[in-house]
Amino acid sequence: MPLVVIENHSLETKKINSVSNFSMDMQVLSSELIIAFILLCVFLYMLGCLEREEMGCTSSRPKRYSIKGKCKSKSKRRSLIPEVAVFVPALRVPLPVDLIHPLRGLVSRDVLDKLSTLRGHLVKLSAEDDLLNVSRISQIRQALEEYLPVLLGLTNKEKGLDALVHFKWKNLEDDEEFSVACAWYEVLSVVHAMAMLSLLEANSMLLPRETSDGSERKVSEDSKKDVVDLLLKASGCLEYCVHHILVQIPIQVRKNLPSNLQQGMLEAISIQTLAQGVEMQLGLASESDKATLSVKRRLACELVAYFSQAHYILSGCDTSDSSYGKKLISFIKWKFLEAKAAAYYYHGLVIDKGNEPSCHISAVCCLCTADDLLNEGKRVCLSFCLATPVTRVPAPWGVMKHLHKKIPDVAYKRSQMYAYLFEQDKNATLQSLPDLPEFQLSLRPEPYELPNADPLWESEDCGPQIQSLKDHLEDEDDHES
């Protein structure tokens, strides 16, 4: 009998063990299923983003944008999730407005026809689906430049035409329309659009593209210099908007302008644009054998200052109703961390040229800090890419393509090389992070000036006109058609 009891007990133990093992296997399987479910949800979310293409940042492709030159094979198509090199806020496009009724009889027929024709052409170009096409950007820019001199005639206070036409524009980020009877608002929208087109073109020039043999196209040095020119032009347009156009708009109208036309936002984007110009210059310096460490350090420190200014101004702006405003904050944080990592890296190399032990210890502190900032920048970059509108994680380019490899390597080697100095400095009296040097900011926006009003406004026939009943009825028929 005792043997039977022992055998039964052994059987019960085996059953318990088998049930326990089965339970553990089920727990592992459940964990794997949960992970698979989460990955599936992420995939479906990203797929939904692609289908909806709700992209507010115009570096992205909203649903009104088309992508030309698609490959025949689906497997060879590039991802529709866009990549950002130069941050471009949402574009604003003009909508049709009635120019005939408000201005009939107050200006000449020639002026009215030219104004209507040029604005209608601009509206038609902006309504096309391929706004990301470089040739389309050039066409819209030319249309804006041709339209602006004729438009400026309406801003003449002596003529009293400023508040007669309700000009209407739409934000492509959220399709929000804004209309106001103010010619200076139209001028502001036109110059702002010029700046955004320059940023859009700069971004397109820096994005990697596949060549016929499947390899990535490298951005030439001349193209990088062209990008710097475009950035300076955009910054100049935005600066002019702040100091010379906004002040012409009545205060009450100015308060109700869309968030991306408010003074703080315009200033922040103008400085951020300058910062990216310095970033391009630092990239060119890192590729040049003639550029010294001191020059690279100066550019990196200037870059930190520019992004710091942009973040300070943007922090005072209301971005609660704008997804691209929140994304711009993440972009500036990411770029600020990268710039500071570069500044501490070059500062450490410059300090390390000294012969004193304190120089070597300070250099290691700078290099290790640069490594920490670089890692933090990678995390913020991921947050930026996941923020609405979703963008692809960009491959390191420019100076960061070089520093992503150099900073961790140099920081590790110098730490090993000077480890004995840290052991000797037991009280850590020398182990403090030195401050970055401050330099006067050298990059300035390219000055922008409004063109002169179209000479047609100065002709004798541009004033108020008396129409016959026949001409009046013909105008009515033309407008209705």
Side-chain angles (χ1 to χ4, degrees), residues 48-191:
C49 289
L50 293 180
E51 291 176 350
R52 293 191 302 270
E53 294 183 19
E54 296 176 346
M55 304 301 180
C57 163
T58 52
S59 310
S60 59
R61 294 180 169 89
K63 59 185 178 181
R64 65 180 291 112
Y65 294 163
S66 67
I67 300 168
K68 299 209 166 185
K70 290 184 178 180
C71 302
K72 294 181 180 179
S73 172
K74 292 184 179 180
S75 61
K76 294 183 179 180
R77 291 180 183 175
R78 291 184 62 84
S79 171
L80 293 181
I81 301 177
E83 184 176 337
V84 175
V86 173
F87 188 90
V88 188
L91 281 179
R92 302 176 69 254
V93 295
L95 297 177
V97 296
D98 179 14
L99 293 169
I100 304 297
H101 280 91
L103 298 177
R104 182 190 291 121
L106 299 177
V107 298
S108 70
R109 182 65 179 264
D110 292 338
V111 170
L112 190 54
D113 286 347
K114 188 171 185 179
L115 188 64
S116 301
T117 301
L118 291 175
R119 197 179 193 280
H121 179 56
L122 178 60
V123 170
K124 183 179 179 181
L125 285 175
S126 303
E128 297 290 341
D129 290 337
D130 55 346
L131 293 183
L132 293 183
N133 188 292
V134 176
S135 61
R136 178 67 63 187
I137 293 174
S138 300
Q139 292 176 5
I140 297 176
R141 181 186 289 114
Q142 182 178 355
L144 289 168
E145 292 173 351
E146 292 175 351
Y147 170 59
L148 187 55
V150 186
L151 168 64
L152 287 173
L154 295 177
T155 63
N156 191 327
K157 293 182 179 180
E158 296 179 358
K159 299 183 183 298
L161 306 173
D162 175 61
L164 295 181
V165 180
H166 278 78
F167 291 102
K168 185 185 297 184
W169 287 66
K170 180 174 71 173
N171 191 338
L172 291 184
E173 174 195 7
D174 50 15
D175 288 337
E176 181 182 356
E177 299 179 4
F178 185 82
S179 173
V180 64
C182 178
W184 278 111
Y185 163 69
E186 179 80 344
V187 175
L188 174 65
S189 298
V190 168
V191 179

Side-chain angles (χ1 to χ4, degrees), residues 231-262:
L231 293 172
L232 296 182
K233 287 180 181 178
S235 183
C237 288
L238 294 170
E239 188 180 62
Y240 190 88
C241 288
V242 171
H243 298 293
H244 300 282
I245 300 181
L246 276 178
V247 294
Q248 302 290 343
I249 299 176
I251 296 178
Q252 194 58 38
V253 175
R254 203 185 312 163
K255 290 180 179 179
N256 296 323
L257 288 174
S259 59
N260 51 352
L261 292 182
Q262 294 289 339

Side-chain angles (χ1 to χ4, degrees), residues 343-354:
Y344 271 116
Y345 171 74
Y346 289 121
H347 189 43
L349 295 182
V350 171
I351 291 176
D352 196 39
K353 289 184 176 182

Side-chain angles (χ1 to χ4, degrees), residues 185-456:
Y185 163 69
E186 179 80 344
V187 175
L188 174 65
S189 298
V190 168
V191 179
H192 178 267
M194 289 179 177
M196 296 303 103
L197 289 176
S198 294
L199 294 179
L200 191 61
E201 185 176 355
N203 183 65
S204 65
M205 292 178 68
L206 291 177
L207 292 182
R209 298 176 185 173
E210 289 185 351
T211 57
S212 57
D213 59 356
S215 60
E216 281 194 353
R217 178 181 67 89
K218 293 184 178 180
V219 182
S220 66
E221 184 174 335
D222 290 339
S223 295
K224 292 176 182 178
K225 292 179 180 179
D226 291 339
V227 167
V228 174
D229 292 339
L230 287 169
L231 293 172
L232 296 182
K233 287 180 181 178
S235 183
C237 288
L238 294 170
E239 188 180 62
Y240 190 88
C241 288
V242 171
H243 298 293
H244 300 282
I245 300 181
L246 276 178
V247 294
Q248 302 290 343
I249 299 176
I251 296 178
Q252 194 58 38
V253 175
R254 203 185 312 163
K255 290 180 179 179
N256 296 323
L257 288 174
S259 59
N260 51 352
L261 292 182
Q262 294 289 339
Q263 179 176 341
M265 186 65 71
L266 293 174
E267 289 178 344
I269 298 173
S270 175
I271 295 174
Q272 171 251 322
T273 302
L274 281 180
Q276 294 213 257
V278 177
E279 183 182 20
M280 295 299 303
Q281 291 181 333
L282 180 56
L284 290 170
S286 67
E287 298 170 0
S288 173
D289 296 332
K290 297 180 180 179
T292 63
L293 281 177
S294 298
V295 169
K296 296 173 185 177
R297 181 181 63 173
R298 179 189 178 103
L299 289 172
C301 290
E302 287 187 27
L303 190 56
V304 172
Y306 278 118
F307 278 123
S308 179
Q309 283 185 19
H311 185 269
Y312 175 78
I313 295 173
L314 194 60
S315 62
C317 299
D318 182 14
T319 58
S320 58
D321 61 341
S322 174
S323 60
Y324 93 82
K326 297 174 184 177
K327 196 172 181 73
L328 177 58
I329 292 178
S330 297
F331 179 81
I332 291 176
K333 286 181 179 178
W334 163 39
K335 289 295 182 179
F336 172 78
L337 289 170
E338 285 192 341
K340 205 166 186 179
Y344 271 116
Y345 171 74
Y346 289 121
H347 189 43
L349 295 182
V350 171
I351 291 176
D352 196 39
K353 289 184 176 182
N355 297 322
E356 298 295 326
S358 59
C359 296
H360 303 315
I361 292 177
S362 296
V364 172
C365 291
C366 287
L367 295 172
C368 291
T369 300
D371 192 28
D372 292 339
L373 290 168
L374 189 64
N375 291 327
E376 179 64 20
K378 292 177 182 177
R379 289 190 286 270
V380 176
C381 173
L382 184 59
S383 299
F384 161 74
C385 294
L386 292 177
T388 305
V390 178
T391 49
R392 259 192 302 151
V393 178
W397 62 276
V399 66
M400 297 315 298
K401 184 176 182 180
H402 171 69
L403 295 186
H404 267 246
K405 298 177 181 178
K406 294 292 292 184
I407 288 178
D409 184 52
V410 174
Y412 174 76
K413 290 181 179 179
R414 297 295 167 91
S415 298
Q416 296 295 314
M417 183 185 302
Y418 299 125
Y420 71 96
L421 293 177
F422 285 85
E423 293 178 359
Q424 294 174 4
D425 187 29
K426 295 181 180 180
N427 296 326
T429 56
L430 302 177
Q431 299 176 31
S432 59
L433 182 66
D435 294 331
L436 290 173
E438 295 183 3
F439 298 98
Q440 185 177 357
L441 302 182
S442 57
L443 201 61
R444 293 287 181 268
E446 181 178 308
Y448 175 80
E449 293 290 338
L450 287 175
N452 295 324
D454 192 287
L456 199 58

